[in-house]
Amino acid sequence: MKGLSRLLLLTGLLAFQISFGQDSEPELSLEQGTIDSQFEFIFKNAGNYRADGKRYEVVRANNLEKLRNNVKDSMNAARTKAAQLNATIAGHESTITSLNQKLEETTKSLASVTEEKDSMSFIGIQVSKGTYNFILWTIILALLLMLLLFIYRFRRSNYLTQEAKANLAELETEYEDHRRRALEREQRISRQLQDEINKYKKSK
């Protein structure tokens, strides 16, 4: 009786483990997932046979055509993303140029205020030295705050530009990697197909 209980317990645990393992594995499909997973789907769903001691894989033509279209779509999406990143970079560069111009204007304004700081006339009105100094330092502090704001925005724009360039480089690397793998697999399949054609011709 104990042996039967242990057998049932082991069977239940094994069934649970198999069920859990199946749930955790991602479902392969040509309709979704990465290009690598779609290639995995092609390989798993390919037929195979042995001839002359060699193993051959047979891939459905419609699956291969679907995979090729998916690769083309991925390439087009990568090109679109690259164009968007280039546009973002151009926008950041324009912002940086504008900020540089504003920074130069602010520096000139600060120099102009410094040159006129000894004057007791403010907008054509004579004011006391204390009031004049208060107004002057208020303007200088405001300009310094603007300068700090422009520097922050400049650095932020530069960071975003570098990040966009890094994302573009990563995207280009991933695209080249996918393209190389797809080309290698397509060449391998073409060679296998040519070998089959040659065998068929020889058998005639």
Side-chain angles (χ1 to χ4, degrees):
M1 190 67 177
K2 285 184 179 180
L4 181 59
S5 298
R6 288 180 181 175
L7 180 61
L8 289 174
L9 180 61
L10 286 174
T11 304
L13 288 173
L14 182 60
F16 175 76
Q17 185 176 1
I18 291 173
S19 174
F20 179 77
Q22 289 177 347
D23 290 341
S24 63
E25 290 181 2
E27 184 178 350
L28 298 176
S29 169
L30 289 177
E31 303 300 328
Q32 60 184 0
T34 63
I35 297 297
D36 283 337
S37 69
Q38 293 180 26
F39 271 110
E40 189 67 25
F41 175 84
I42 290 285
F43 291 139
K44 282 194 175 182
N45 288 276
N48 60 73
Y49 66 93
R50 289 186 177 274
D52 297 331
K54 296 180 180 178
R55 185 181 177 204
Y56 296 93
E57 298 288 337
V58 180
V59 179
R60 291 184 179 177
N62 60 343
N63 284 351
L64 197 57
E65 182 65 24
K66 176 68 175 173
L67 180 61
R68 188 176 76 168
N69 290 334
N70 291 347
V71 171
K72 284 182 178 179
D73 290 342
S74 295
M75 291 168 61
N76 290 334
R79 290 192 187 102
T80 301
K81 183 67 175 175
Q84 291 173 352
L85 289 174
N86 283 329
T88 301
I89 290 170
H92 290 323
E93 288 176 349
S94 175
T95 301
I96 290 170
T97 302
S98 175
L99 288 174
N100 284 335
Q101 291 175 351
K102 289 181 180 178
L103 183 60
E104 185 178 351
E105 291 172 3
T106 301
T107 304
K108 288 180 180 178
S109 297
L110 184 59
S112 176
V113 169
T114 304
E115 287 174 2
E116 297 174 0
K117 71 180 180 178
D118 294 332
S119 174
M120 291 292 114
S121 177
F122 183 72
I123 316 178
I125 302 172
Q126 294 295 325
V127 294
S128 67
K129 189 173 181 180
T131 304
Y132 175 80
N133 286 336
F134 172 76
I135 294 172
L136 177 64
W137 284 109
T138 301
I139 292 173
I140 291 174
L141 287 175
L143 289 173
L144 286 174
L145 287 175
M146 289 176 61
L147 180 62
L148 291 175
L149 176 63
F150 289 151
I151 291 172
Y152 168 76
R153 290 184 63 184
F154 173 80
R155 289 184 176 177
R156 176 68 178 165
S157 297
N158 189 48
Y159 169 76
L160 292 175
T161 300
Q162 294 300 324
E163 185 179 22
K165 286 181 179 178
N167 289 339
L168 177 61
E170 182 180 352
L171 186 63
E172 287 176 348
T173 302
E174 183 179 350
Y175 163 71
E176 286 299 325
D177 189 41
H178 283 312
R179 188 178 69 82
R180 178 181 57 77
R181 280 193 243 167
L183 184 61
E184 288 175 356
R185 287 175 180 161
E186 188 174 333
Q187 287 176 347
R188 191 185 323 133
I189 292 172
S190 297
R191 284 196 299 269
Q192 291 175 353
L193 181 61
Q194 187 61 45
D195 290 343
E196 288 301 313
I197 292 173
N198 292 341
K199 281 187 180 182
Y200 178 75
K201 287 182 180 178
K202 286 180 181 180
S203 65
K204 282 190 171 184

